[in-house]
Amino acid sequence: MVVVIDSEPASLVDALALAWREGRPLSAETATRLAPEGSDDAYAIQAALGERLGWWPMGRPHGWKLAIGELPKAAPIPDGLYQYSPAQMRHCVSVAGIEVELAVRLSRPLPAGASRAQAEAAVGETLAVIEGFDVRAERWRELAPAFLLADLQMHGGLVIGTGMPGWAGDTALTLEVTGRVPAPTGWQHPLGDPLALLPWLADHAASRGWPLQAGDLVATGSWCGMLEVPPGGGVIAKFQGVGEVSLQRAADPEA
């Protein structure tokens, strides 16, 4: 049974901070009532929430997620939400979802105004990762995009697998997900080029006062959309010539 926070917080920062601390979802009504008006407000809430919850003790995020849609979106990753493969799925607030991606770790700063070629030259390594997909509110499919963006664009943690030096270039994904038979094939990055939005992110991060630095990790967008992992299920993802990453969800204790 889902337990919903029944207080009436005054702001979305207050509401989301409580949801993150207690691991319980906001009601859809509260999420709708407090939703920001647009992306600028949503990005400001991301930063305020990170400050409230102490996500970046060094003063800036060291990881980012990119989201691909009609307009690109991004969210800074809290320092405490990294795991290494093989990993156990974290507590899920409202949805036990995953997305399989390539992530890149920068070996040099990437300033605003960087080109695609400069972005590739800044990649120190390419890694297979699984991003946890979660929302701190009920009925997330009905919620405003600006709420989801404020809630770290549905980020729930990042599992880091193996990788290779430099940028991977062309690769292919094979994926095994327990409970999905047969496993779909033909996964690919929706833009064709996973680095296509890295210059946009360099501009965006700099505009938030957090220009990209050496060591920063960027998850470049899902190759498989969002997949829900059943209790007791697992995911093994392999990028040809790059590396692999795996995640397991605990069995339902009430089953």
Side-chain angles (χ1 to χ4, degrees):
M1 180 180 69
V2 175
V3 178
V4 182
I5 295 170
D6 57 7
S7 59
E8 291 295 328
S11 73
L12 186 54
V13 173
D14 292 339
L16 285 174
L18 184 62
W20 277 89
R21 285 181 176 131
E22 298 192 354
R24 298 187 296 163
L26 305 175
S27 69
E29 291 74 20
T30 296
T32 298
R33 175 174 64 86
L34 297 177
E37 293 186 2
S39 58
D40 286 344
D41 289 341
Y43 287 127
I45 288 167
Q46 290 179 355
L49 189 61
E51 183 175 356
R52 174 80 62 86
L53 295 177
W55 280 341
W56 306 299
M58 301 301 292
R60 60 180 296 277
H62 300 92
W64 292 85
K65 68 159 289 179
L66 280 166
I68 298 157
E70 185 176 348
L71 294 173
K73 298 175 182 178
I77 299 175
D79 283 359
L81 289 191
Y82 298 100
Q83 299 181 85
Y84 288 90
S85 177
Q88 290 286 324
M89 180 172 276
R90 294 176 178 271
H91 166 78
C92 302
V93 176
S94 65
V95 56
I98 63 97
E99 298 180 336
V100 177
E101 312 182 27
L102 287 175
V104 294
R105 195 183 302 277
L106 302 181
S107 60
R108 66 183 74 169
L110 190 64
S115 66
R116 165 62 178 75
Q118 289 171 320
E120 181 171 341
V123 174
E125 62 178 333
T126 305
L127 299 156
V129 300
I130 293 174
E131 182 188 357
F133 180 107
D134 199 5
V135 180
R136 271 52 62 171
E138 288 194 311
R139 306 204 311 265
W140 65 271
R141 295 182 188 276
E142 303 173 17
L143 300 179
F147 172 85
L148 300 175
L149 180 59
D151 189 26
L152 298 192
Q153 192 58 31
M154 303 165 283
H155 183 71
L158 196 69
V159 178
I160 301 171
T162 57
M164 59 168 286
W167 169 234
D170 291 336
T171 183
L173 170 64
T174 58
L175 186 59
E176 300 175 24
V177 182
T178 304
R180 295 180 63 93
V181 181
T185 59
W187 302 116
Q188 59 183 356
H189 191 274
L191 297 181
D193 176 12
L195 295 187
L197 293 181
L198 201 49
W200 176 88
L201 179 63
D203 293 345
H204 171 76
S207 76
R208 308 311 307 177
W210 298 321
L212 297 179
Q213 301 294 323
D216 286 355
L217 187 69
V218 179
T220 60
S222 177
W223 286 53
C224 61
M226 193 276 286
L227 302 174
E228 291 197 54
V229 182
V235 182
I236 301 173
K238 300 178 181 179
F239 285 96
Q240 183 178 8
V242 179
E244 66 179 80
V245 59
S246 64
L247 176 70
Q248 185 76 25
R249 183 181 178 189
D252 188 343
E254 298 180 359

